[in-house]
Structure formats: C-alpha cells, structure tokens
Amino acid sequence: MDQESYRQEPSFQDEMERLSDEEAEEAIWDRILDHGEVDLENLHVQCQDGIVSVEGILPSAVQYQQLMSLLRDELNLEHVVDRIRIHDEVSFGDDEDLEPLGFDED
C-alpha cells in the first residue's frame, strides 16, 4: 500500500480554519443537511472569525440535542454560541390576548 492510503483526512475543524466565514457557514449547513434530523426552517447559522453562532427555534429538545451533538461532538467545533430556543418551551400569544397597559394620567 502506498503512503496516501495511510493519510488521515483532515478534521472538519482543520478544514474550517482554511475557509472564509461564508464558506464555513455553507460547510456547516451542508453537514446539518446531511445529518437530516434537524428542522432547518427556523434555524440560522453564522460564522465569524472561527466562532459559530446558531440561533432560532427548534421543535423539540431531541432536535436541539442532535444539533448540539453534531456541532460539538461530530464536527468538533470548539466555539459555538448557542441561541437556540425550543418550541415546546416557547409560549406564543396573539396580540388580542394581551390587555393594553393602563396608565392613569393625573
């Protein structure tokens, strides 16, 4: 066997260091899409100087755990800013449900 067959592929973290912020975002999105278990509808990923920020709303704690495991464990991203909320824990209300604040003018 030649030496190339013994070469270890670079880690995702190593690849990230060579990418621009935009390319890194695209690479992370590709990995999340390949993973296929996370609802992307309300998810936003941003990279800046090696720091990955994820924000949005996921439908369940299970999907949250899957996403965080993918980013931190499988992709070995060291700097992840987590701004994810879980839909089950977010209460939504209509404006009609809110009573206007009354201020007494004396």
Side-chain angles (χ1 to χ4, degrees):
M1 297 189 127
D2 57 58
Q3 289 182 340
E4 277 195 40
S5 32
Y6 290 109
R7 272 189 166 162
Q8 184 176 355
E9 290 187 33
S11 71
F12 188 78
Q13 184 66 36
D14 292 339
E15 290 177 29
M16 290 278 295
E17 291 175 8
R18 294 189 298 260
L19 301 176
S20 70
D21 290 339
E22 292 80 19
E23 292 169 328
E25 287 173 21
E26 187 175 327
I28 291 169
W29 271 115
D30 288 346
R31 297 294 178 102
I32 295 171
L33 284 168
D34 290 345
H35 191 259
E37 296 184 25
V38 176
D39 182 359
L40 306 176
E41 186 176 341
N42 294 310
L43 188 66
H44 178 73
V45 176
Q46 181 178 3
C47 297
Q48 187 172 4
D49 300 325
I51 299 172
V52 178
S53 297
V54 289
E55 60 184 281
I57 300 172
L58 290 175
S60 69
V62 170
Q63 284 195 21
Y64 170 81
Q65 291 299 328
Q66 290 170 335
L67 177 64
M68 289 300 110
S69 176
L70 173 68
L71 297 175
R72 292 186 173 139
D73 301 334
E74 294 178 38
L75 300 183
N76 294 318
L77 299 176
E78 295 176 14
H79 306 289
V80 177
V81 177
D82 174 7
R83 294 188 180 123
I84 298 292
R85 297 186 331 185
I86 299 168
H87 185 271
D88 295 344
E89 297 173 1
V90 177
S91 60
F92 293 97
D94 295 331
D95 289 340
E96 296 172 359
D97 295 340
L98 300 175
E99 293 182 27
L101 295 175
F103 292 101
D104 292 332
E105 293 184 24
D106 293 332

